């Protein structure tokens, strides 16, 4: 059953963080609800709608940036008290705007997640979880990785409150007091948690940074995953989730907001499986989402808040009137007044713009005026995409972007992104120079572009910095620089476990180094490793290579490090980088290896399907022009064999795919060449003179002859 919702924009506040907008409970059954929203200027705004106009209830004074908001109240009463956190402080306001609580949590870091339940307050800051009851310290927990969100379960079937933390290392941690009760592995780094039923029940919805959604039933000792929705269409990561019966079938639907601006409504079919009922795309990331009744009595809607502070409703109220030929459409008085108000507002804005321009012209010619750099906030995200082993760089600015300059001191490929309409131009680089550039690319954006998405692919073993220079359409011209580290093993991603039956190569390090030192080296080499040194004496991390599917196990403690991988090149890169880092700190390392010859043929067999596919694609693309010429010459393509006819029919798709994967074949050739050099490097032989023979074999590719050459 599809639903139709119409967009209505209400108000705009400052830049907002994730989960900083809530709907206050309705007074009557079908009455409209008040909206509370907090922004980076530290202002908490509460408003309601009357006759299509946003009427403020209260507005606080500016202050420190507000990172989260939650509603609370005594258990069993309407949850209409508003709690906000900024820095390490939590403040409480009544629905009329009177401040009744200021609580200093005395944390060294800012609070980034919060949950309120009756007299209990749960806050998280990076790695730390604290539980307070009536503002008195109760429990404390130090997490192994960054905490992104927190929620808390209370139900008749549970004997206690159960806090659940969403942690960056792809785990939901369920706590009991100050101890970890158990953890739940999820398919991506969880970014948001929401109770499926706020009043009771033990089910939690989670959303991940790579766009997956799931429902987990939490018990006191174990959990059961009910369902998961994969991100097949490569939409953005999940920033906010809510539940509300918008379809009107008596079952709560799941409302989802993503960082690419997509708003989704999932309903449930007869088998209780989630199905997409509605989708709408806004131009910027959706930071908060709520279901309720705001604009008009009896009309339900999905209310969203975006990064730049727009509060937008997707309402069930019809916004259009249709008329046939000769019919008259009469405007209601309410619509007429709306149109008149909009016209008046537009005129006022035009006058303001003219006055602003005149004032700027006068001050720019003045000899005494001082130019101030305009401040603007940038929301950026640099993440590894598992599906195509590339890094996605998303940049969002509160005003329109004029241009973006990308600069890299390591070789990287820029990949095509469908959503990106900016014009890209490349500058020549002299990579031979010390500190030379490998990439200089400029993106010129179209008018009113506030969000830009790019994709880059790095080469493992080559590490350095990617820099983005963001210039918005502001006067005077100003620019912000953001830096992103390309790590030596940049295409590796954390995983929960690895296949122990594969042939493995080992690298062992022994030396006078501390646990913190070797941990900092691993952080330097590999992505998704927490910067804070883990608690305990030793730690094990598992990784898999998103491009090839090979794996890595890293176990280390004070004075010792053990690394196992089925890919010799991974071990070779680790060996080079770790010995270089130890030399910088004047630490003497004792390095030993255990190389498995079987692992080389195993890695070649893993590369084989990818290489075969790319060679076939390249051959087909080479044939397209010749086949098209034959078709034009002969008038039709009936005389061609079915295989060639198929290439002609699919030519557009083949060219598109080939364009999307530049240098893919060269990348695979490079990996096989590195594998060949690394295999013999560990045996103490230099085989660089035989590389040309290897490339000849690759040009006439056959797996068996390649395996023979490696012997």
């Amino acid at each position: 059953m599809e639903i139709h919702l119409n967009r209505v924009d209400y108000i705009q506040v400052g830049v907002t963080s994730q989960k900083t907008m809530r709907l206050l409970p309705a007074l009557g059954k079908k009455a409209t609800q008040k909206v509370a929203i907090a922004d980076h200027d530290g202002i908490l705004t509460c408003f309601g709608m009357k006759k299509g106009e946003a009427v403020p209830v209260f507005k606080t004074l500016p202050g420190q940036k507000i990172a989260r908001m939650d509603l609370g109240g005594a258990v069993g009463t309407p949850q209409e008290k508003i709690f906000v956190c900024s820095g390490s402080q939590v403040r409480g306001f009544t629905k009329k705007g009177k401040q009744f609580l200021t609580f200093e949590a005395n944390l060294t870091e800012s609070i980034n997640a919060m949950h309120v339940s009756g007299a209990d307050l749960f806050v998280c800051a990076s790695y730390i979880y604290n539980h307070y009851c009536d503002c008195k310290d109760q429990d404390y927990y130090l997490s192994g990785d960054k905490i992104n969100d927190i929620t808390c379960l209370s139900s008749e079937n549970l004997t206690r409150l159960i806090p659940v933390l969403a942690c960056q290392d792809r785990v939901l941690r369920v706590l009991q007091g100050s101890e970890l009760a158990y953890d739940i592995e999820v398919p991506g780094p969880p970014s948001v948690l929401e109770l499926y039923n706020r009043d009771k029940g033990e089910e939690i919805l989670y959303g991940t940074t790579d766009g997956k959604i799931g429902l987990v039933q939490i018990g006191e000792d174990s959990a059961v995953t009910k369902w998961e929705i994969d991100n097949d269409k490569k939409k953005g990561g999940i920033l906010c989730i809510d539940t509300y019966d918008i379809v009107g079938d008596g079952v709560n639907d799941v409302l989802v907001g993503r960082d690419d601006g997509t708003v989704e409504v999932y309903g449930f079919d007869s088998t209780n499986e989630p199905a997409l009922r509605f989708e709408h795309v806004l131009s910027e990331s959706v930071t908060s989402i709520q279901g309720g009744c705001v604009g008009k009595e009896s009309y339900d809607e999905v209310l969203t808040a975006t990064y730049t502070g727009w509060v937008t409703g997707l309402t069930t109220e019809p916004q259009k009137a249709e008329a046939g030929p000769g019919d008259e459409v009469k405007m209601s008085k309410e619509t007429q007044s709306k149109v008149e108000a909009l016209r008046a507002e537009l005129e006022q804005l035009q006058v303001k713009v003219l006055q602003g321009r005149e004032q700027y012209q006068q001050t720019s010619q003045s000899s005494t005026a001082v130019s101030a750099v305009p401040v603007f906030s940038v929301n950026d995200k640099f993440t590894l995409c598992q599906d195509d082993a590339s890094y996605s760089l998303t940049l969002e600015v509160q005003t329109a972007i004029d241009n973006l300059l990308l600069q890299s001191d390591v070789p990287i490929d820029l990949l095509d992104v469908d959503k990106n309409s900016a014009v890209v131009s490349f500058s020549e680089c002299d990579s031979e120079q010390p500190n030379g550039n490998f990439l200089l690319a400029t993106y010129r954006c179209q008018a009113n572009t506030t969000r830009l998405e790019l994709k880059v692919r790095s080469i493992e073993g080559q590490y350095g910095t990617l820099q983005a220079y963001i210039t918005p359409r502001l006067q005077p011209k100003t620019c912000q620089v953001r830096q992103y580290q390309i790590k030596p093993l940049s295409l590796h991603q954390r995983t929960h476990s690895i296949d122990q039956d594969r042939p493995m190569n080992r690298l062992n390090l022994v030396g006078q180094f501390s646990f913190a030192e070797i941990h900092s080296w691993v952080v330097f080499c590999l992505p998704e490793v927490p910067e804070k040194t883990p608690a305990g004496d030793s730690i094990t991390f598992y990784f898999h290579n998103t491009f090839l599917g090979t794996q890595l196990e890293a176990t280390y403690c004070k004075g010792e490090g053990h690394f196992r991988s089925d890919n010799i090149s991974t071990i070779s890169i680790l060996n080079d980088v770790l010995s270089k880092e130890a030399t910088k700190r004047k630490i003497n390392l004792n390095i030993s290896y255990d190389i498995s010859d079987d692992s080389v043929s195993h890695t070649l067999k893993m590369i084989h399907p990818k290489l075969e596919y790319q060679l076939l694609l390249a051959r087909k693309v080479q044939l397209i022009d010749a086949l098209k010429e034959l078709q034009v010459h002969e008038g039709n393509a009936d005389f061609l064999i079915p295989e060639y006819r198929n290439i002609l029919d699919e030519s557009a798709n083949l060219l598109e795919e080939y364009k999307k994967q530049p240098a893919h074949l060269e990348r695979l050739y490079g990996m096989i060449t590195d594998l060949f050099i690394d295999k013999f490097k560990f045996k103490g032989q230099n085989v660089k003179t035989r590389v040309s023979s290897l490339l000849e074999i690759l040009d006439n590719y056959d797996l068996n002859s390649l395996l023979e050459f490696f012997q």
Side-chain angles (χ1 to χ4, degrees):
M1 187 181 100
E2 297 302 315
I3 51 169
H4 296 286
L5 302 176
N6 302 296
R7 177 176 168 168
V8 187
D9 290 335
Y10 292 127
I11 64 163
Q12 187 179 19
V13 294
V15 173
T16 63
S17 290
Q18 194 182 354
K19 291 174 87 169
T20 49
M21 180 203 63
R22 295 298 292 266
L23 286 179
L24 302 182
L27 297 172
K29 198 171 180 193
K30 298 210 168 170
T32 59
Q33 293 168 266
K34 303 282 187 285
V35 182
I37 182 165
D39 60 27
H40 283 199
D41 299 328
I43 299 170
L44 168 61
T45 307
C46 181
F47 72 94
M49 295 301 292
K50 265 189 188 167
K51 296 181 181 174
E53 290 286 316
V55 179
V57 177
F58 71 86
K59 196 174 183 178
T60 66
L61 293 169
Q64 204 177 347
K65 163 186 161 179
I66 295 174
R68 280 289 157 103
M69 176 193 289
D70 202 9
L71 298 181
V75 177
T77 64
Q79 304 291 293
E80 55 188 19
K81 290 190 167 66
I82 305 161
F83 293 87
V84 293
C85 61
S86 41
S88 60
Q89 191 182 68
V90 177
R91 289 173 297 155
F93 295 86
T94 64
K95 62 179 181 179
K96 294 277 193 283
K98 183 174 181 291
Q99 186 171 337
F100 66 88
L101 171 76
T102 304
F103 172 61
E104 184 56 61
N106 286 327
L107 299 172
T108 50
E109 293 178 3
S110 297
I111 296 169
N112 61 354
M114 170 178 75
H115 182 82
V116 180
S117 175
D120 293 283
L121 169 68
F122 304 87
V123 296
C124 299
S126 290
Y127 300 89
I128 303 161
Y129 152 86
N130 275 73
H131 170 203
Y132 304 94
C133 185
D134 287 323
C135 296
K136 291 186 181 67
D137 229 330
Q138 293 287 316
D139 300 310
Y140 168 88
Y141 178 73
L142 185 65
S143 169
D145 209 333
K146 277 197 174 147
I147 303 167
N148 294 330
D149 202 5
I150 179 170
T151 192
C152 192
L153 292 157
S154 59
S155 143
E156 296 152 10
N157 303 337
L158 301 169
T159 55
R160 58 187 171 83
L161 283 171
I162 300 185
V164 183
L165 311 179
C167 301
Q168 187 64 25
D169 53 355
R170 295 175 161 76
V171 166
L172 304 182
R173 289 186 165 86
V174 180
L175 304 182
Q176 178 171 2
S178 296
E179 299 297 319
L180 176 69
Y182 61 93
D183 52 30
I184 308 153
E185 295 178 355
V186 291
S191 51
V192 58
L193 295 175
E194 192 63 52
L195 300 175
Y196 180 64
N197 191 333
R198 280 212 193 101
D199 306 326
K200 58 185 187 301
E202 299 106 57
E203 292 176 328
I204 280 186
L205 286 158
Y206 66 82
T208 69
T209 53
D210 52 2
K212 300 183 179 89
I213 310 161
L215 182 73
V216 181
Q217 184 168 1
I218 306 276
E220 292 192 12
D221 310 307
S222 64
V224 181
T225 301
K226 290 294 194 71
W227 49 258
E228 280 175 9
I229 304 172
D230 229 1
N231 186 15
D232 298 326
K233 292 190 176 165
K234 313 280 182 294
K235 293 174 189 164
I238 313 288
L239 284 182
C240 47
I241 298 178
D242 191 29
T243 57
Y244 186 76
D245 181 17
I246 191 90
V247 176
D249 57 0
V251 179
N252 269 358
D253 305 306
V254 179
L255 318 177
V256 177
R258 296 178 183 264
D259 65 14
D260 62 350
T262 309
V263 178
E264 296 171 322
V265 177
Y266 287 91
F268 291 89
D269 53 23
S270 52
T271 58
N272 262 352
E273 286 296 312
L276 188 63
R277 296 271 194 255
F278 174 80
E279 185 178 39
H280 180 81
V281 181
L282 300 168
S283 60
E284 52 195 292
S285 56
V286 181
T287 51
S288 306
I289 194 163
Q290 294 277 285
C293 176
V294 177
K296 201 169 182 186
E297 300 89 355
S298 308
Y299 287 108
D300 288 338
E301 64 185 270
V302 176
L303 194 73
T304 60
T306 64
Y307 171 67
T308 61
W310 272 108
V311 180
T312 303
L314 294 165
T315 174
T316 49
E317 182 189 354
Q319 299 288 317
K320 288 188 287 192
E322 289 185 10
D327 288 1
E328 269 187 43
V329 179
K330 284 186 180 169
M331 266 194 197
S332 66
K333 279 186 180 170
E334 197 180 305
T335 316
Q336 278 175 336
S337 62
K338 257 190 200 176
V339 171
E340 280 162 18
L342 282 169
R343 280 197 182 124
E345 194 181 345
L346 201 61
E347 280 168 16
Q348 280 175 348
L349 286 169
Q350 283 170 334
V351 169
K352 261 190 186 174
V353 168
L354 283 170
Q355 285 172 345
R357 279 202 180 130
E358 281 169 18
Q359 200 178 345
Y360 181 71
Q361 289 296 14
Q362 284 166 2
T363 49
S364 63
Q365 286 159 9
S366 158
S367 56
T368 53
V370 179
S371 178
V373 174
V375 178
F376 61 95
S377 59
V378 176
N379 180 20
D380 59 340
K381 199 172 105 176
F382 189 61
T383 48
L384 178 60
C385 307
Q386 190 176 338
D387 308 308
D388 55 0
S390 67
Y391 275 89
S392 167
L393 172 59
T394 311
L395 297 161
E396 197 168 12
V397 184
Q398 65 187 106
T399 55
I401 304 169
D402 184 42
N403 65 69
L404 167 79
L405 173 72
L406 268 194
Q407 177 259 332
S408 169
D409 56 8
V410 282
I412 55 170
D413 298 330
L414 280 182
L415 307 181
D416 262 10
V417 178
D418 296 334
K419 297 175 194 166
N420 189 345
S421 58
V423 179
V424 63
S425 50
F426 295 92
S427 306
E428 272 188 41
C429 298
D430 189 0
S431 55
E432 301 303 316
Q433 294 282 333
N435 305 324
N437 292 325
F438 277 92
L439 172 81
L440 269 180
T442 311
Y443 285 86
R444 285 194 306 284
C445 300
Q446 296 187 355
N448 302 329
T449 303
T450 56
R451 190 175 184 280
L452 202 57
E453 196 175 318
L454 319 169
K455 276 205 167 189
V456 297
R457 188 177 285 140
S458 54
I459 298 171
E460 290 216 322
Q462 311 253 15
Y463 54 97
T465 311
L466 172 68
Q467 296 195 111
Y469 295 78
I470 308 138
T471 310
R473 296 192 177 198
L474 288 176
Q475 292 298 339
K477 274 277 181 265
T478 180
C479 170
Q480 268 194 38
V481 186
R482 292 293 163 111
Q483 291 192 335
Y484 310 97
Q485 296 307 316
I486 307 281
K487 304 205 174 190
L489 292 172
S490 53
L491 300 181
H492 278 69
Q493 195 171 49
R494 281 275 295 277
T495 181
H496 297 299
S497 60
I498 58 169
D499 177 4
Q500 299 288 357
D501 298 333
R502 292 186 185 180
M504 294 293 229
N505 306 290
R506 286 179 177 76
L507 170 69
N508 303 309
L509 309 176
V510 179
Q512 295 293 312
F513 48 78
S514 66
F515 188 28
E517 278 174 324
I518 188 165
H519 180 71
S520 72
W521 302 342
V522 173
V523 169
F524 180 76
C525 286
L526 286 147
E528 296 191 7
V529 180
E531 284 178 15
K532 190 177 69 61
T533 307
D537 298 328
S538 70
I539 187 78
T540 300
F541 290 118
Y542 299 112
F543 300 88
H544 82 279
N545 183 320
T546 52
F547 193 76
L548 288 182
T550 56
Q551 57 193 26
L552 169 67
E553 177 190 301
T555 303
Y556 52 92
C557 59
K558 182 187 174 184
E560 268 183 61
H562 305 282
F563 301 89
R564 296 166 67 233
S565 173
D566 52 345
N567 185 349
I568 281 190
S569 295
T570 304
I571 292 291
S572 172
I573 292 166
L574 275 170
N575 176 32
D576 294 347
V577 178
L578 293 174
S579 49
K580 201 179 276 183
E581 287 298 300
T583 309
K584 270 187 203 168
R585 300 188 191 193
K586 298 185 172 61
I587 293 171
N588 192 12
L589 282 187
N590 185 359
I591 301 175
S592 60
Y593 337 101
D594 179 9
I595 301 301
S596 160
D597 282 341
D598 293 344
S599 72
V600 178
S601 52
H602 157 79
T603 307
L604 287 171
K605 282 172 185 165
M606 289 190 82
I607 295 174
H608 170 68
K610 291 182 172 63
L611 185 58
E612 204 170 42
Y613 177 77
Q614 287 299 326
L615 284 164
L616 190 62
L617 179 65
R619 281 195 199 113
K620 283 179 177 175
V621 168
Q622 279 173 342
L623 284 171
I624 288 172
D625 284 346
L627 289 172
K628 280 186 175 171
E629 208 169 300
L630 271 173
Q631 187 183 16
V632 170
H633 197 262
E634 296 294 329
N636 61 27
D638 298 345
F639 64 95
L640 293 172
I641 59 170
E643 185 192 338
Y644 289 165
R645 281 209 298 273
N646 193 32
I647 291 173
L648 273 175
D649 294 342
E650 292 288 313
S651 61
N653 293 345
L654 291 169
L655 286 165
E656 181 74 15
E657 191 176 346
Y658 193 68
K659 195 177 98 181
K660 268 190 183 170
Q661 304 188 342
H664 207 107
L665 204 53
E666 287 89 334
R667 187 65 62 87
L668 290 166
Y669 276 18
M671 284 178 174
I672 293 169
T673 310
D674 289 345
L675 196 67
F676 179 64
I677 293 168
D678 291 336
K679 178 188 171 174
F680 290 98
K681 184 175 90 175
F682 283 113
K683 292 183 176 179
Q685 299 171 23
N686 187 347
V687 288
K688 286 188 177 173
T689 51
R690 293 176 60 197
V691 168
S692 53
S693 316
L694 173 63
L695 292 173
E696 276 176 33
I697 287 174
L698 289 173
D699 286 337
N700 306 300
Y701 178 67
D702 172 60
L703 179 62
N704 293 329
S705 55
L706 185 63
L707 289 168
E708 274 173 39
F709 185 80
F710 266 76
Q711 292 310 317

